[in-house]
């Protein structure tokens, strides 16, 4: 049996494919706080049997806090379910300039991480 090979996509193809997608925050994020300096903190509830046991025995917190850095804190409010990744990239470039480069590599990594933790999902654009 012949093994089917995955087609490798170039970086530019990946960017063109994903820049039209619209990021949406999931219900896994139960609370969002913004500090005076603009930094965002996300709160995620620790659910499940094992988490409940550790909360009782080891006094672990019911909610985990995720602190975002300056650029991620700027990106997070833009993920409103209306703004696509291309528009977000333009706003990040306008705000941070050369500090944001390599822009799309950083954006794709950020979105890859938050999607892996199920903090965000992506809607395909309506054709």
């Amino acid at each position: 049996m012949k093994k089917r090979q995955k087609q490798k996509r170039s970086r530019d193809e990946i960017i063109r494919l994903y820049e039209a997608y619209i990021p949406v925050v999931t219900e896994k994020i139960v609370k969002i706080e913004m500090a005076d300096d603009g930094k965002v903190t996300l709160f995620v509830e620790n659910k499940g049997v094992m988490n409940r046991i550790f909360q009782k025995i080891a006094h672990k917190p019911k909610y985990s806090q995720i602190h975002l850095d300056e650029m991620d804190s700027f990106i997070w409010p833009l993920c409103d379910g209306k703004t696509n990744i291309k528009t977000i990239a333009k706003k990040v470039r306008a705000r941070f300039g050369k500090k944001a480069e390599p822009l799309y590599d950083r954006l794709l990594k950020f979105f890859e991480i938050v999607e892996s933790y199920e903090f965000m999902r992506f809607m395909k654009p309506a054709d």
Side-chain angles (χ1 to χ4, degrees):
M1 181 182 259
K2 193 174 183 180
K3 190 174 182 179
R4 205 166 132 186
Q5 291 182 341
K6 278 189 173 180
Q7 183 182 2
K8 283 274 190 179
R9 295 185 180 185
S10 72
R11 177 185 169 278
D12 292 334
E13 288 174 319
I14 292 170
I15 290 169
R16 277 194 304 277
L17 177 67
Y18 286 101
E19 68 184 1
Y21 279 56
I22 301 168
V24 180
V25 176
T26 66
E27 62 280 347
K28 197 163 189 175
I29 303 297
V30 294
K31 184 179 172 186
I32 301 168
E33 285 184 359
M34 187 174 285
D36 293 336
D37 62 358
K39 298 232 175 132
V40 172
T41 302
L42 310 174
F43 290 82
V44 179
E45 186 174 5
N46 296 316
K47 297 180 180 180
V49 175
M50 292 306 292
N51 280 317
R52 299 273 188 251
I53 291 169
F54 282 116
Q55 287 169 13
K56 301 270 187 213
I57 295 173
H59 305 289
K60 295 290 181 186
K62 186 173 180 176
Y63 297 96
S64 292
Q65 296 180 21
I66 296 95
H67 302 280
L68 302 181
D69 67 9
E70 181 183 11
M71 190 176 303
D72 297 341
S73 293
F74 179 79
I75 295 168
W76 192 265
L78 299 173
C79 301
D80 56 5
K82 300 173 190 161
T83 310
N84 64 26
I85 294 175
K86 185 175 186 175
T87 305
I88 291 171
K90 287 179 184 177
K91 291 181 179 185
V92 170
R93 184 172 279 134
R95 168 78 164 78
F96 293 98
K98 289 189 180 213
K99 186 178 171 186
E101 296 301 332
L103 178 61
Y104 275 100
D105 293 335
R106 292 180 75 166
L107 276 177
L108 291 175
K109 189 63 177 175
F110 169 74
F111 286 126
E112 180 183 303
I113 291 168
V114 294
E115 184 181 32
S116 73
Y117 284 107
E118 299 176 357
F119 296 161
M120 201 172 283
R121 62 183 171 78
F122 295 90
M123 295 189 317
K124 290 184 180 181
D127 293 324

